[in-house]
Amino acid sequence: MLFSGIPRVKLLEEETPIQHLNNVGSIMGNNNIFVKRDDLMPIGMGGNKIRCLEFWLGDAIQKKCDVLLVAGASVSNQCRLAAAAAAKIGMRCIILHSSNKPEKYNGNILLNKLMGTETIFLGEMDEYTRKEYTRKYADELREKGFKPYIIADDRVTGSLGYVNSALELVHQAESKNIDLKHVVICGSEGPTETGLLYGLCLFGNAFKVHVVSVEYEVSHLKKLVSGIFDGICEKLNLVPPRKIEDVAVFYDNYIGEGYAKPTEQSLEAVKLLAQKEAIFIENTYNSKVFAGMFDLVKKGVIDPNEAVCCYITGGIPALFKQADFFI
Ligand SMILES: *Cc1c(COP(=O)(O)O)cnc(C)c1O
């Protein structure tokens, strides 16, 4: 067994749906466009981090930790989903936000408030300083006799959630007679895309994986991914028959001016999916991934006769903080 001996807390009982985008497909001249709905999960409004959290929580419990620490911006999906998973399994969770306390609560922080999650607003600071604060805060908790676990510190452990998702995808496509040739996934901090790549290097014979960066240049993203990939090989004690270069193509030409900044095409993608498929995506991650996928379909890089599946990674509460983009 691939994951034998690796602790995991099951948060998902069932597969997330694969859905055919027939309306968008007919506009694009490609009747083979599918999506993997990782935004549809039964807790916390779902999203990719739930899969990662199954393994982070397993690790935390095995290490006998008693409090989860999660840090992020106030719009962070990671914070909301860590809080959700903690609520579900009855574990204490503390959120550290790199922002000031807002006057009004909406989006993810509203949901955190409803879940009653302990939240500390550190004030505006960069990612590096936030990490320092988080470590210091963990030290303080240890001095008080607690055993904190910092979520997302160990990217290799989190990425196992997407190794698992790759197996789910391959199995699901087979059972639905979808002859999947392309998979499109978001590229950001690494765990999601690397886990998926590893899983498809193991099992997906004929797949091309298109990794659409929303944050870093390809050279930096490749470094992140190959570091995590090696870590998974070590952790599972298994080197896949295919290498990253055999299956993956990386793109950084859909980022626009930067992380979380919309592009004309990203806004179009949000509206197209809403208007033709009644699917809502947010504008930091998924909108750019879809803009990328649509461009690759239009250019014929993704052949109209070959099935493609694009991951929707969730994050929908963030959309409610992005209203200004659409006015
Ligand atoms: C965090 C996040 C991602 C990126 O995941 P990584 O593992 O950092 O690549 C993509 N989509 C959504 C909605 C997210 O919250």
Side-chain angles (χ1 to χ4, degrees):
M1 281 290 288
L2 193 53
F3 297 116
S4 60
I6 294 178
R8 174 179 176 193
V9 171
K10 231 171 180 298
L11 298 169
L12 294 172
E13 292 301 327
E14 289 175 28
E15 298 176 339
T16 58
I18 286 187
Q19 191 181 1
H20 184 214
L21 300 189
N22 54 317
N23 296 326
V24 161
S26 64
I27 292 169
M28 300 275 156
N30 182 330
N31 194 31
N32 289 300
I33 303 177
F34 296 85
V35 283
K36 176 75 168 153
R37 298 291 305 266
D38 269 8
D39 57 328
L40 297 181
M41 293 180 182
I43 65 165
M45 289 185 81
N48 59 333
K49 306 299 184 317
I50 289 286
R51 291 190 188 272
C52 306
L53 279 157
E54 290 196 328
F55 290 91
W56 279 322
L57 294 186
D59 194 29
I61 288 169
Q62 191 182 52
K63 291 178 172 148
K64 300 202 166 27
C65 294
D66 51 15
V67 51
L68 302 174
L69 270 188
V70 62
S74 61
V75 291
S76 163
N77 299 309
Q78 177 132 288
C79 290
R80 182 236 325 160
L81 289 170
K88 185 66 186 168
I89 67 163
M91 198 161 168
R92 184 178 174 201
C93 177
I94 303 173
I95 296 175
L96 302 173
H97 279 316
S98 48
S99 62
N100 296 312
K101 191 173 192 296
E103 281 174 24
K104 283 189 184 161
Y105 278 70
N106 66 15
N108 281 313
I109 50 170
L110 171 62
L111 304 179
N112 300 339
K113 202 173 178 64
L114 295 179
M115 290 186 281
T117 315
E118 291 170 65
T119 303
I120 297 165
F121 292 94
L122 300 168
E124 300 290 340
M125 59 177 64
D126 62 28
E127 218 175 297
Y128 179 77
T129 320
R130 186 178 71 210
K131 274 198 182 126
E132 294 278 287
Y133 261 90
T134 310
R135 290 198 196 290
K136 241 191 280 171
Y137 194 80
D139 287 339
E140 284 171 27
L141 284 170
R142 272 183 218 108
E143 276 163 30
K144 289 181 191 160
F146 294 103
K147 274 202 86 175
Y149 184 89
I150 302 175
I151 294 289
D153 229 18
D154 176 352
R155 291 179 178 177
V156 173
T157 294
S159 71
L160 298 180
Y162 271 82
V163 176
N164 197 41
S165 184
L167 310 190
E168 181 178 308
L169 179 71
V170 170
H171 170 258
Q172 218 175 359
E174 254 172 36
S175 69
K176 287 175 179 287
N177 282 323
I178 302 167
D179 186 15
L180 214 50
K181 293 281 188 244
H182 302 267
V183 180
V184 185
I185 184 84
C186 179
S188 184
E189 295 292 337
T192 304
E193 57 274 35
T194 312
L196 188 77
L197 273 169
Y198 179 94
L200 294 177
C201 282
L202 268 184
F203 292 108
N205 286 327
F207 287 67
K208 263 270 153 308
V209 183
H210 304 268
V211 183
V212 179
S213 178
V214 300
E215 190 161 5
Y216 300 117
E217 285 179 8
V218 163
S219 57
H220 182 73
L221 180 59
K222 275 186 174 171
K223 258 187 238 155
L224 282 178
V225 166
S226 76
I228 299 172
F229 196 94
D230 292 346
I232 306 175
C233 292
E234 201 174 313
K235 201 171 176 85
L236 299 182
N237 198 17
L238 180 62
V239 178
R242 281 171 292 272
K243 299 188 188 67
I244 299 172
E245 311 76 272
D246 300 332
V247 302
V249 195
F250 294 87
Y251 307 87
D252 57 12
N253 52 321
Y254 301 106
I255 303 173
E257 282 175 33
Y259 175 75
K261 296 197 175 121
T263 64
E264 201 185 317
Q265 292 76 15
S266 76
L267 297 176
E268 283 308 315
V270 173
K271 287 187 271 186
L272 185 70
L273 282 174
Q275 290 168 15
K276 300 298 174 193
E277 302 286 351
I279 292 173
F280 301 111
I281 56 170
E282 47 65 62
N283 220 297
T284 302
Y285 299 99
N286 290 281
S287 63
K288 287 181 184 168
V289 175
F290 273 90
M293 197 246 301
F294 292 151
D295 188 51
L296 296 173
V297 166
K298 278 183 205 156
K299 285 180 180 157
V301 175
I302 292 173
D303 188 293
N305 300 310
E306 293 179 345
V308 52
C309 182
C310 186
Y311 266 83
I312 300 186
T313 51
I316 206 61
L319 181 63
F320 296 94
K321 290 274 283 182
Q322 297 167 342
D324 291 350
F325 296 161
F326 296 95
I327 292 162

